[in-house]
Amino acid sequence: MTVLSIRPQAPDSPAPRRAKPARRRRNAVAMMLAVPAMGLFLVFAIYPMLRVFYLSLFDYSLTAPPEFIGFRNFTYLATDPQFGAALWQTVVYAVGTYVPALTLALVLAHALNTRAPGSGLLRLLYFLPVAISWVAVSVIWRVVLNPDGLLNQALGLHLNWLTSSSSAMWGLVVMGVWKETGFFLILFLAGLQSIPPELHEASRLDGAGAFARFRYITWPMLLPVTAVCSVMAVIRGFQAFSPQLVLTDGGFGTQVVNLFVYKTAFENARMGRASAVAVLMFLLLFGLTLLQLKVFARRDR
Amino acid sequence: MAKRGLRSLRHIRRAGAGILAAIMAAATLSACGGGSGDGKVTLTFWTHTHPPMIKLNQTLITEYERLHPNVKIEYQQIPNDEFDTKMLTAMSNGSGPDLLNLDDTTLRGEYLPKRLLAPIDYGALGVASEDALKARYLPGTLDGASADNELYGLPSEFNATAFAINTKHFADAGLDPNAPPKTWQDVASASRKLAAAGHTQAFSFLYLSAGWYTQQLQTLLNETGGTITDANHEKATVTAPPAEAALKIWTDLATGAGRTADPNKTSREATSPFSDLATGRQSMAMVYPWAMEQIRESNPDTFAQLKLVPLPQVNPAKPVNRWYGYYWGVSRASKNQQQAWQFIAYLASQSQRWLSDVKFIQPVKGWDTSAAGKQVPGLDVWSAAYQQGKFDEVAPHFAEIKDAMMTMVNDAVFDHVALPEASRKASDQIDRSLGS
């Protein structure tokens, strides 16, 4: 049984004398307990981030001392066709993968939001790809996307999925949709199950059809989940790395920004330039997230 | 009660300070390098993965530790596709090994200009001078680990390029294995006959990584007289006619009238680069001494069908080959450089075992007339290839240049971009890299 020790007080009665120091002491203890976690966060999250900002102003080849060059890394990137291409390829991958994945997840969540026999197993099956690592998925899909592979056989095509600039990105997109739909499906399912069933019952009695119920009840109630999903989709899309590295090594128009950063930093030993890309991406993602939150907040009103 | 609490707090603080002091003392001791109080020296040694090489390294380490009880060698192998990244990162933060084994383009392109390696310690190697050391090796073969007239490593393996043909496939196609293709046009005509006999993957380049693309293109560039950059490494030269001629040979064989295989169906598995030749899918391939040994171990039946012949040439009257080597070197940051060079001296003194057990050819004078050398399959082909070779070109930011080369070949071969356009794009990319 929970005991609440807060005594009701008259609005203008002074607080008990000993309450403040006790609260202060509790807060101090809480702060002390939080110190190790905050310390770790500062050392392993905040410091590296600040260090990346700092390094973006240097020419740093990993093996020689960094040399301050101001904003030259940023001006180089502004005119670098490879960086421009990487940015564009990231946008194509993110939009191509996550718009269908979110749509499909929403549709499937609707279909699976029942207590029908087998729906639990279906949910599990849809979620399975999420549980497999990107590297393992990539190895499996290398077989699927092979010229003699399952996808060509299933569709009756003769495409060289991973060795052509016209199809490599779409091969990765198909794989991405397969891998990511389950993740959003679970979030949407949780959102759907939090909608009180009485709302749908009442609207059904009022004669609302399926589309009207979705348009005026489900969709508005799902808006907070959709906002979270869309923010996560943008972040996940812009963090793409492993499948591009494993399947194409960034060739054939699949060099996404994170792979560009990795190659620039660790293969080409241009750490300062890679840091500048990371800074730009941070600012871009930060801006996009704020924009999304603003849009959804307005709709929520 | 409060007093007891304070006392225990003081006790905890004192104990904490003691533990911290102990940790710091241990850290200070371990930071002092591989030495320990009992006079033992620990050397760390990193190589890439190649099973026969690893096996012999392990045997030699055991022997050396038995001969030198004060030396302990910690041997670590790094997967080939992670090797460059891990090694460079480790060297940059001081956690790299004492001894390393690297290819000559990486050494000349990255490690020597950045002064990451220690120059050879002739005393520790047991030789009187640089000239005395050079006198042991075939002329020019130590240049792969040389910069500013100073030597930084000894060759663990030295490779030239030859051509392997599958004699069974040739027989199926009515071709004479004793009259192998001499030119790249011959390769194309043989491929047509092989395809008619059902061997459709007759010859293919290996599309594995930027490094592999560049080394194969460099082989062709050596034959056409082309280069990637000018002599001073200020401008790209891949749009020049000799360089475009090399790219044309590649694209003709991959996609043109003289098409020899479908490049989309070539294995791109970097962990077993020659799997198509080894499993009998492919009829002809450019090979290196270590590759033949790997095929012999993994697919002895196919190995028995293979015949080693000279590399096809643009001009067979003036054959040109390509060299590349791996070298043992010592990190400049190592605190045990002398002991590391002594261990390298032991590794290098076993050139006969490297030949017999691993088929690594070390370019010591007389290797081909030695007992182990005479047992190397295709000895005459390798010997001739070593006479015609030269090292690859390297330039600043060579990793970026290799990426540009890979993109150029991919554009031309897989995306069917016209050669002038593909090479112009690569040229722009190289110029940007050299100028930044």
Side-chain angles (χ1 to χ4, degrees):
Chain A
M1 187 176 143
T2 313
V3 179
L4 294 175
S5 61
I6 301 166
R7 241 182 304 155
Q9 285 175 29
D12 51 0
S13 68
R17 274 180 130 189
R18 294 173 61 130
K20 258 190 180 171
R23 197 184 307 143
R24 236 182 252 153
R25 226 180 2 254
R26 267 203 309 274
N27 288 349
V29 171
M31 286 297 285
M32 273 178 65
L33 290 173
V35 162
M38 280 167 65
L40 288 174
F41 182 68
L42 284 173
V43 171
F44 293 110
I46 301 299
Y47 172 72
M49 272 173 65
L50 295 176
R51 183 85 183 154
V52 165
F53 276 89
Y54 174 76
L55 275 179
S56 68
L57 305 174
F58 287 81
D59 181 13
Y60 178 34
S61 68
L62 276 172
T63 49
E67 184 194 333
F68 183 76
I69 54 166
F71 288 97
R72 278 215 325 250
N73 283 323
F74 293 95
T75 51
Y76 178 90
L77 290 169
T79 56
D80 182 14
Q82 279 188 291
F83 174 61
L87 203 55
W88 171 244
Q89 282 151 16
T90 308
V91 171
V92 171
Y93 176 78
V95 173
T97 301
Y98 288 94
V99 170
L102 283 172
T103 313
L104 203 57
L106 186 58
V107 172
L108 288 170
H110 252 283
L112 294 174
N113 189 26
T114 63
R115 294 192 188 281
S119 64
L121 180 68
L122 275 175
R123 283 178 211 172
L124 177 72
L125 288 177
Y126 279 114
F127 190 73
L128 266 183
V130 182
I132 309 172
S133 80
W134 271 110
V135 173
V137 164
S138 304
V139 173
I140 295 166
W141 274 76
R142 183 183 282 166
V143 180
V144 175
L145 297 170
N146 192 287
D148 301 323
L150 291 174
L151 194 61
N152 273 351
Q153 283 176 24
L155 302 175
L157 296 171
H158 299 284
L159 280 176
N160 299 314
W161 285 100
L162 297 176
T163 53
S164 163
S165 291
S166 55
S167 58
M169 180 59 87
W170 301 115
L172 291 169
V173 162
V174 172
M175 182 182 91
V177 172
W178 178 83
K179 168 94 169 78
E180 292 288 79
T181 299
F183 177 76
F184 297 107
L185 166 68
I186 295 300
L187 294 181
F188 278 127
L189 256 177
L192 285 173
Q193 285 172 359
S194 70
I195 300 174
E198 305 86 60
L199 289 177
H200 279 144
E201 287 300 320
S203 61
R204 199 176 283 130
L205 289 174
D206 286 344
F211 181 74
R213 286 202 302 279
F214 178 80
R215 168 77 180 80
Y216 295 107
I217 298 172
T218 311
W219 178 243
M221 299 286 281
L222 273 184
L223 218 51
V225 176
T226 312
V228 170
C229 286
S230 95
V231 169
M232 291 187 85
V234 169
I235 293 172
R236 286 167 89 94
F238 276 74
Q239 283 182 339
F241 174 77
S242 305
Q244 284 77 5
L245 177 73
V246 174
L247 288 177
T248 56
D249 195 23
F252 308 106
T254 64
Q255 174 135 289
V256 286
V257 170
N258 268 0
L259 190 53
F260 180 78
V261 171
Y262 172 77
K263 285 181 170 241
T264 306
F266 299 111
E267 289 184 4
N268 303 337
R270 305 259 203 182
M271 193 56 88
R273 192 179 293 166
S275 301
V277 180
V279 167
L280 290 176
M281 289 310 291
F282 170 78
L283 295 176
L284 180 70
L285 274 178
F286 190 67
L288 275 176
T289 306
L290 282 183
L291 186 73
Q292 282 173 293
L293 291 177
K294 210 168 179 182
V295 167
F296 280 103
R298 196 177 298 160
R299 282 200 187 167
D300 210 12
R301 250 182 267 143
Chain B
M1 181 87 172
K3 259 186 188 169
R4 201 188 305 155
L6 272 177
R7 215 175 296 144
S8 63
L9 195 69
R10 218 174 291 148
H11 179 74
I12 290 168
R13 210 182 295 150
R14 213 175 294 151
I19 291 167
L20 191 68
I23 291 170
M24 285 183 74
T28 314
L29 279 177
S30 66
C32 290
S36 61
D38 57 2
K40 271 209 163 195
V41 171
T42 301
L43 297 173
T44 46
F45 176 28
W46 290 8
T47 70
H48 62 292
T49 55
H50 179 62
M53 173 191 77
I54 292 168
K55 205 169 143 193
L56 185 57
N57 267 330
Q58 285 166 337
T59 308
L60 294 176
I61 286 168
T62 310
E63 288 172 12
Y64 191 79
E65 285 177 340
R66 205 178 301 133
L67 289 168
H68 301 84
N70 63 323
V71 178
K72 181 174 168 21
I73 293 157
E74 285 177 357
Y75 178 37
Q76 192 179 335
Q77 306 95 45
I78 303 163
N80 300 355
D81 51 350
E82 294 167 20
F83 190 84
D84 287 348
T85 306
K86 180 161 182 182
M87 184 68 89
L88 192 63
T89 315
M91 295 293 275
S92 71
N93 63 22
S95 63
D98 296 294
L99 277 108
L100 43 116
N101 187 224
L102 282 173
D103 69 278
D104 66 275
T105 49
T106 310
L107 280 176
R108 290 180 296 128
E110 294 281 345
Y111 284 69
L112 300 187
K114 288 174 180 165
R115 304 180 62 76
L116 295 173
L117 294 194
I120 282 183
D121 179 340
Y122 295 99
L125 283 184
V127 286
S129 64
E130 185 181 324
D131 287 340
L133 181 72
K134 281 185 170 173
R136 292 182 183 177
Y137 288 90
L138 293 173
T141 54
L142 296 182
D143 294 350
S146 157
D148 302 327
N149 297 318
E150 189 132 37
L151 294 180
Y152 291 85
L154 291 187
S156 59
E157 61 175 298
F158 196 77
N159 296 289
T161 315
F163 211 56
I165 58 171
N166 188 312
T167 53
K168 184 183 173 301
H169 291 198
F170 266 54
D172 294 345
L175 291 162
D176 180 5
N178 296 316
K182 284 191 168 53
T183 65
W184 294 107
Q185 285 93 331
D186 293 346
V187 172
S189 353
S191 297
R192 278 192 287 278
K193 291 179 184 164
L194 285 159
H199 300 294
T200 51
Q201 289 296 106
F203 166 77
S204 183
F205 293 98
L206 299 179
Y207 302 90
L208 301 174
S209 65
W212 277 88
Y213 277 72
T214 309
Q215 69 185 36
Q216 293 168 102
L217 189 65
Q218 185 77 60
T219 310
L220 299 178
L221 286 167
N222 287 355
E223 293 189 10
T224 60
T227 54
I228 298 171
T229 68
D230 62 3
N232 295 326
H233 307 308
E234 287 166 353
K235 294 287 284 177
T237 50
V238 287
T239 52
E244 278 201 9
L247 183 59
K248 188 167 182 333
I249 294 172
W250 188 316
T251 48
D252 278 351
L253 292 170
T255 62
R259 183 184 163 103
T260 52
D262 182 353
N264 292 294
K265 297 194 174 172
T266 302
S267 167
R268 299 168 79 93
E269 186 48 68
T271 51
S272 53
F274 291 94
S275 64
D276 284 344
L277 180 71
T279 54
R281 276 190 75 220
Q282 195 169 309
S283 313
M284 301 177 274
M286 279 163 53
V287 290
Y288 311 106
W290 61 266
M292 295 306 288
E293 179 60 10
Q294 204 174 48
I295 295 170
R296 190 187 66 78
E297 283 198 358
S298 57
N299 292 66
D301 293 342
T302 319
F303 180 79
Q305 296 167 3
L306 296 180
K307 179 180 164 73
L308 210 60
V309 298
L311 181 73
Q313 297 287 327
V314 168
N315 180 3
K318 282 189 182 171
V320 185
N321 209 283
R322 170 183 169 266
W323 282 349
Y324 81 95
Y326 268 76
Y327 292 78
W328 291 301
V330 175
S331 165
R332 193 179 283 270
S334 167
K335 294 187 170 59
N336 302 301
Q337 292 183 8
Q338 194 187 17
Q339 290 89 342
W341 282 115
Q342 284 168 349
F343 175 57
I344 288 177
Y346 183 73
L347 292 173
S349 70
Q350 306 296 323
S351 61
Q352 290 291 291
R353 286 163 80 185
W354 283 107
L355 255 177
S356 60
D357 297 7
V358 192
K359 298 292 180 291
F360 273 5
I361 295 169
Q362 287 166 7
V364 286
K365 282 179 181 163
W367 74 268
D368 48 349
T369 52
S370 66
K374 284 177 185 162
Q375 301 301 315
V376 173
L379 177 68
D380 52 334
V381 175
W382 293 124
S383 295
Y386 283 120
Q387 309 299 317
Q388 303 151 0
K390 62 175 184 176
F391 284 111
D392 286 352
E393 176 188 354
V394 289
H397 310 302
F398 200 59
E400 290 173 356
I401 291 174
K402 287 193 277 191
D403 279 343
M405 294 288 92
M406 180 171 75
T407 306
M408 179 177 79
V409 173
N410 279 343
D411 283 350
V413 170
F414 294 100
D415 283 336
H416 308 293
V417 174
L419 296 196
E421 171 60 18
S423 48
R424 189 199 53 73
K425 195 173 133 194
S427 174
D428 289 350
Q429 202 177 321
I430 294 168
D431 284 345
R432 278 182 68 79
S433 180
L434 290 173
S436 65

Short mmCIF file of all heavy atoms in Angstrom, two decimals, chain B residues 86-106:
data_model
loop_
_atom_site.label_atom_id
_atom_site.label_comp_id
_atom_site.label_asym_id
_atom_site.label_seq_id
_atom_site.Cartn_x
_atom_site.Cartn_y
_atom_site.Cartn_z
N LYS B 86 42.33 -0.60 -39.09
CA LYS B 86 42.69 -0.88 -37.70
C LYS B 86 44.14 -0.49 -37.43
O LYS B 86 44.44 0.09 -36.38
CB LYS B 86 42.45 -2.36 -37.39
CG LYS B 86 42.80 -2.68 -35.96
CD LYS B 86 42.21 -3.95 -35.45
CE LYS B 86 42.60 -4.11 -33.98
NZ LYS B 86 42.13 -5.31 -33.38
N MET B 87 45.02 -0.82 -38.35
CA MET B 87 46.43 -0.54 -38.14
C MET B 87 46.68 0.96 -38.06
O MET B 87 47.36 1.45 -37.15
CB MET B 87 47.25 -1.16 -39.28
CG MET B 87 48.74 -1.02 -39.13
SD MET B 87 49.41 -1.99 -37.76
CE MET B 87 49.74 -3.52 -38.57
N LEU B 88 46.10 1.72 -39.00
CA LEU B 88 46.33 3.17 -39.02
C LEU B 88 45.77 3.82 -37.76
O LEU B 88 46.42 4.69 -37.15
CB LEU B 88 45.68 3.78 -40.27
CG LEU B 88 46.07 5.22 -40.58
CD1 LEU B 88 47.56 5.33 -40.88
CD2 LEU B 88 45.28 5.77 -41.76
N THR B 89 44.59 3.38 -37.34
CA THR B 89 43.98 3.95 -36.14
C THR B 89 44.84 3.62 -34.92
O THR B 89 45.08 4.48 -34.07
CB THR B 89 42.56 3.39 -35.94
OG1 THR B 89 41.89 3.41 -37.19
CG2 THR B 89 41.77 4.21 -34.96
N ALA B 90 45.29 2.38 -34.84
CA ALA B 90 46.10 1.97 -33.69
C ALA B 90 47.43 2.73 -33.67
O ALA B 90 47.88 3.18 -32.61
CB ALA B 90 46.34 0.46 -33.75
N MET B 91 48.02 2.89 -34.84
CA MET B 91 49.30 3.61 -34.88
C MET B 91 49.12 5.07 -34.48
O MET B 91 50.00 5.67 -33.88
CB MET B 91 49.89 3.56 -36.30
CG MET B 91 50.27 2.17 -36.77
SD MET B 91 51.66 1.44 -35.88
CE MET B 91 53.04 2.12 -36.76
N SER B 92 47.96 5.63 -34.81
CA SER B 92 47.74 7.05 -34.51
C SER B 92 47.56 7.30 -33.02
O SER B 92 47.87 8.38 -32.54
CB SER B 92 46.53 7.56 -35.28
OG SER B 92 45.35 7.02 -34.73
N ASN B 93 47.04 6.32 -32.29
CA ASN B 93 46.83 6.57 -30.86
C ASN B 93 47.85 5.83 -29.99
O ASN B 93 47.68 5.73 -28.77
CB ASN B 93 45.38 6.23 -30.45
CG ASN B 93 45.06 4.77 -30.63
OD1 ASN B 93 45.95 3.93 -30.65
ND2 ASN B 93 43.79 4.45 -30.75
N GLY B 94 48.88 5.33 -30.61
CA GLY B 94 49.98 4.73 -29.84
C GLY B 94 49.72 3.33 -29.35
O GLY B 94 50.49 2.80 -28.58
N SER B 95 48.62 2.72 -29.83
CA SER B 95 48.34 1.35 -29.37
C SER B 95 48.72 0.32 -30.43
O SER B 95 48.32 -0.84 -30.35
CB SER B 95 46.86 1.21 -29.01
OG SER B 95 46.06 1.41 -30.16
N GLY B 96 49.48 0.74 -31.41
CA GLY B 96 49.88 -0.18 -32.48
C GLY B 96 50.93 -1.17 -32.02
O GLY B 96 51.43 -1.08 -30.89
N PRO B 97 51.27 -2.12 -32.88
CA PRO B 97 52.21 -3.17 -32.49
C PRO B 97 53.67 -2.69 -32.59
O PRO B 97 53.95 -1.65 -33.18
CB PRO B 97 51.94 -4.25 -33.53
CG PRO B 97 51.54 -3.48 -34.74
CD PRO B 97 50.79 -2.28 -34.27
N ASP B 98 54.56 -3.52 -32.03
CA ASP B 98 55.99 -3.25 -32.22
C ASP B 98 56.40 -3.61 -33.64
O ASP B 98 57.13 -2.87 -34.29
CB ASP B 98 56.82 -4.10 -31.23
CG ASP B 98 56.54 -3.73 -29.79
OD1 ASP B 98 56.88 -2.61 -29.40
OD2 ASP B 98 55.94 -4.55 -29.07
N LEU B 99 55.89 -4.77 -34.10
CA LEU B 99 56.25 -5.27 -35.43
C LEU B 99 55.02 -5.34 -36.30
O LEU B 99 53.96 -5.75 -35.84
CB LEU B 99 56.72 -6.72 -35.32
CG LEU B 99 58.13 -7.03 -34.93
CD1 LEU B 99 58.11 -7.57 -33.53
CD2 LEU B 99 58.66 -8.08 -35.86
N LEU B 100 55.18 -4.96 -37.56
CA LEU B 100 54.02 -5.08 -38.45
C LEU B 100 54.46 -5.57 -39.81
O LEU B 100 55.64 -5.53 -40.15
CB LEU B 100 53.29 -3.74 -38.54
CG LEU B 100 54.15 -2.49 -38.68
CD1 LEU B 100 53.87 -1.85 -40.00
CD2 LEU B 100 53.82 -1.55 -37.57
N ASN B 101 53.47 -6.02 -40.57
CA ASN B 101 53.72 -6.58 -41.87
C ASN B 101 52.78 -5.88 -42.85
O ASN B 101 51.57 -6.06 -42.77
CB ASN B 101 53.45 -8.09 -41.82
CG ASN B 101 53.85 -8.81 -43.08
OD1 ASN B 101 53.12 -9.64 -43.58
ND2 ASN B 101 55.00 -8.49 -43.63
N LEU B 102 53.34 -5.05 -43.75
CA LEU B 102 52.50 -4.22 -44.61
C LEU B 102 52.95 -4.29 -46.06
O LEU B 102 54.13 -4.51 -46.34
CB LEU B 102 52.58 -2.76 -44.16
CG LEU B 102 51.78 -2.34 -42.94
CD1 LEU B 102 52.14 -0.92 -42.56
CD2 LEU B 102 50.29 -2.43 -43.22
N ASP B 103 52.00 -4.02 -46.98
CA ASP B 103 52.37 -4.04 -48.40
C ASP B 103 53.07 -2.74 -48.79
O ASP B 103 52.94 -1.72 -48.10
CB ASP B 103 51.13 -4.27 -49.26
CG ASP B 103 50.19 -3.11 -49.24
OD1 ASP B 103 49.40 -3.00 -48.27
OD2 ASP B 103 50.26 -2.28 -50.15
N ASP B 104 53.79 -2.79 -49.89
CA ASP B 104 54.66 -1.66 -50.23
C ASP B 104 53.89 -0.38 -50.57
O ASP B 104 54.35 0.71 -50.26
CB ASP B 104 55.60 -2.03 -51.38
CG ASP B 104 54.85 -2.29 -52.67
OD1 ASP B 104 54.38 -3.42 -52.88
OD2 ASP B 104 54.71 -1.35 -53.47
N THR B 105 52.68 -0.49 -51.17
CA THR B 105 51.96 0.74 -51.50
C THR B 105 51.49 1.44 -50.23
O THR B 105 51.55 2.67 -50.14
CB THR B 105 50.75 0.49 -52.42
OG1 THR B 105 49.98 -0.55 -51.90
CG2 THR B 105 51.16 0.18 -53.83
N THR B 106 51.05 0.68 -49.25
CA THR B 106 50.63 1.29 -47.98
C THR B 106 51.84 1.92 -47.29
O THR B 106 51.76 3.02 -46.74
CB THR B 106 49.99 0.23 -47.07
OG1 THR B 106 49.00 -0.46 -47.82
CG2 THR B 106 49.34 0.84 -45.86
#
